[in-house]
Amino acid sequence: MSTTKTATSTKRRTKAQPPVIETVTCHICSKEIEKTDATEFDGKWLCSDCLESETFICSDCGEREWNDENAGSEDTPLCQSCYDEDYMRCDECGIVMPTENAYYLEEDDEYGYCGYCYDKLKDKQYIHNYSYKPMPIFYGDTAINRYFGVELEIDSGGKDNDNAHDLLRTVNWDSEKIYIKTDGSLHDGMEIVTHPMTLGYHIHNMDWDSLTQKALYLGYKSHKTTTCGLHVHVNRNTFANDNIRQEACIGRILFIVERFWEELLRFSRRTEEQIKQWTARYGFKHEPHEILDTAKKNGYNRYTCVNITNTATIEFRIFRGTLKYNTIIATLQLVDHICNMAISLCDTNIEKLSWCDFVEQIDSDKHPELITYMKERRLYVNEPIYMAEEE
């Protein structure tokens, strides 16, 4: 009996190699992750958490963008092109809305509002936009022919329509003496603007005391901010009816401001840094017409210590805002005194003028608040007196 032996061929078995897992590093958190779990965006790899937290999808076109490029809001994220083409913000509350859904007030048709704000404002619009300029109403003795228009900025109490109404009612009980506007330079406030008034009318009929007390009661500040100014407009034709004599007087005004810059800076209650930010100097020259020529040649805009760009007025912008009655009146009286000096003195005498001469010629009977204020600020021939706190 034969036995058949079967030969079994053995094959060498090799151990299976694990698959290669490709990884990438997240651009935001630097975490190493599998490439299949990452997303490439804007040429950078992102993990799912960072993709969710650092980017958004435009709610209009569906494109993904970085968060800091969101031109819309958290609720309505938008790329810049979609926002520019089809969306806007409510000028009152800032909510993002389709442009076609905006409502416009009849008087301020440049500014659009959401339905809620439009309903709130349409029947009681007390705050006008910054460009609002009503027909001026002149108050006081017309024979005097010197009118002062005041712009008083108040902040920190809100751009609130009801507050504006309260302020208006304080002084507009028999006619419109003031109106209120928005101002983009303020954080959370508004600008009170008077119609043109003579100095006597400001003192005896305007009731600045009640207005400033009401503003303080409503929580507003003016001096105690870094944003607020007190600007005073004076009509050009108070200096002369012809352009040549007008400009000669304005040149002397610029000379006075530049000649006594340090004293007026102390009077203004501003710091040098604030002056540089809000009211540029023209620079001192030895003759009035040289300062005026420099102002014209250099093309200064209205953000100067004395703005001469308006056709009907010049504007003194050096003063810091205040809610103190005596300071407002003293400021008006100072501007009045500067105008008097520019009219009454020729160039030669203006050039010789010292600060002591300037102060000594203040009419103490007509300008008592100015005398008091100068003593408080140690500007009145070394006669300082107690100074109450500014608001």
Side-chain angles (χ1 to χ4, degrees):
M1 181 176 172
S2 62
T3 304
T4 304
K5 193 183 267 188
T6 303
T8 305
S9 64
T10 59
K11 295 181 180 179
R12 182 177 295 173
R13 295 182 180 178
T14 59
K15 188 176 181 180
Q17 297 294 319
V20 177
I21 299 174
E22 190 173 359
T23 61
V24 293
T25 300
C26 176
H27 174 73
I28 302 296
C29 67
S30 301
K31 179 181 177 181
E32 191 170 317
I33 51 175
E34 292 185 12
K35 190 174 183 179
T36 55
D37 293 333
T39 301
E40 187 177 13
F41 171 66
D42 198 22
K44 300 172 178 62
W45 290 101
L46 302 178
C47 67
S48 57
D49 289 340
C50 290
L51 183 72
E52 180 70 22
S53 64
E54 299 298 324
T55 68
F56 72 93
I57 295 176
C58 175
S59 60
D60 199 10
C61 68
E63 291 293 323
R64 186 177 291 277
E65 301 280 355
W66 294 105
N67 281 350
D68 58 6
E69 296 174 357
N70 185 0
S73 64
E74 187 176 346
D75 295 330
T76 310
L78 295 164
C79 67
Q80 189 65 55
S81 67
C82 287
Y83 176 86
D84 291 342
E85 187 171 346
D86 295 316
Y87 290 81
M88 64 180 290
R89 292 181 183 275
C90 171
D91 192 61
E92 179 70 8
C93 70
I95 192 172
V96 175
M97 59 184 176
T99 304
E100 62 185 14
N101 292 349
Y103 294 85
Y104 297 87
L105 296 169
E106 183 175 337
E107 186 174 45
D108 297 329
D109 57 5
E110 294 179 42
Y111 296 84
Y113 301 92
C114 66
Y116 173 80
C117 290
Y118 174 77
D119 288 338
K120 184 176 70 172
L121 294 171
K122 66 180 180 179
D123 296 325
K124 51 174 186 176
Q125 176 64 9
Y126 302 121
I127 306 176
H128 304 284
N129 67 58
Y130 183 71
S131 61
Y132 175 72
K133 287 186 178 181
M135 185 68 68
I137 306 169
F138 292 85
Y139 292 95
D141 185 356
T142 56
I144 294 174
N145 192 33
R146 183 174 300 166
Y147 296 92
F148 300 86
V150 174
E151 298 169 358
L152 173 60
E153 295 168 345
I154 58 175
D155 212 341
S156 305
K159 192 178 76 171
D160 186 274
N161 208 48
D162 290 336
N163 285 354
H165 187 217
D166 287 346
L167 292 170
L168 291 168
R169 285 190 305 175
T170 302
V171 294
N172 285 358
W173 55 271
D174 60 346
S175 58
E176 182 185 330
K177 296 184 178 77
I178 66 170
Y179 52 96
I180 294 176
K181 307 195 308 183
T182 60
D183 190 323
S185 68
L186 304 176
H187 294 152
D188 194 23
M190 45 200 173
E191 181 179 71
I192 300 170
V193 185
T194 74
H195 283 277
M197 302 173 182
T198 61
L199 180 59
Y201 198 94
H202 272 288
I203 294 172
H204 302 296
N205 304 94
M206 172 51 200
D207 201 3
W208 278 107
D209 196 22
S210 295
L211 181 62
T212 53
Q213 290 304 311
K214 175 62 74 172
L216 288 168
Y217 174 79
L218 293 172
Y220 288 96
K221 300 175 183 178
S222 191
H223 173 87
K224 294 180 179 179
T225 70
T226 59
T227 54
C228 294
L230 171 64
H231 305 157
V232 181
H233 286 261
V234 183
N235 53 307
R236 281 175 173 262
N237 62 11
T238 192
F239 306 117
N241 290 324
D242 65 276
N243 187 63
I244 293 175
R245 288 191 298 157
Q246 273 187 27
E247 297 221 327
C249 282
I250 292 169
R252 291 193 284 273
I253 286 172
L254 299 183
F255 183 91
I256 290 171
V257 171
E258 291 293 341
R259 177 70 169 270
F260 303 130
W261 181 260
E262 294 300 324
E263 291 84 356
L264 294 180
L265 181 62
R266 186 187 298 182
F267 187 103
S268 76
R269 294 162 290 109
R270 289 190 188 272
T271 64
E272 276 287 358
E273 287 304 310
Q274 290 169 335
I275 287 291
K276 290 176 183 177
Q277 181 180 4
W278 301 110
T279 55
R281 291 183 65 176
Y282 290 112
F284 180 74
K285 305 292 181 184
H286 292 287
E287 296 183 11
H289 72 87
E290 290 181 318
I291 301 178
L292 184 62
D293 290 344
T294 299
K296 290 180 177 180
K297 289 176 183 176
N298 290 357
Y300 285 99
N301 59 31
R302 65 190 184 90
Y303 297 104
T304 49
C305 52
V306 182
N307 167 26
I308 60 173
T309 63
N310 299 318
T311 58
T313 68
I314 63 170
E315 178 190 16
F316 291 76
R317 296 178 56 88
I318 190 174
F319 309 110
R320 188 170 181 170
T322 183
L323 288 173
K324 185 179 173 183
Y325 168 79
N326 193 81
T327 302
I328 293 173
I329 300 304
T331 300
L332 291 171
Q333 291 173 348
L334 174 71
V335 173
D336 188 55
H337 182 56
I338 291 174
C339 293
N340 286 339
M341 300 298 285
I343 292 171
S344 63
L345 299 180
C346 65
D347 284 11
T348 301
N349 289 336
I350 281 283
E351 291 162 19
K352 294 177 182 177
L353 195 66
S354 69
W355 179 252
C356 286
D357 294 332
F358 178 81
V359 171
E360 285 176 358
Q361 294 187 53
I362 297 172
D363 189 328
S364 59
D365 292 330
K366 292 183 178 179
H367 298 150
E369 289 82 4
L370 176 57
I371 298 294
T372 299
Y373 182 84
M374 282 194 160
K375 289 179 179 179
E376 290 174 348
R377 308 302 299 183
R378 298 177 181 269
L379 289 166
Y380 191 76
V381 197
N382 298 320
E383 289 190 42
I385 62 173
Y386 170 76
M387 177 173 60
E389 186 179 16
E390 293 283 347
E391 299 291 346

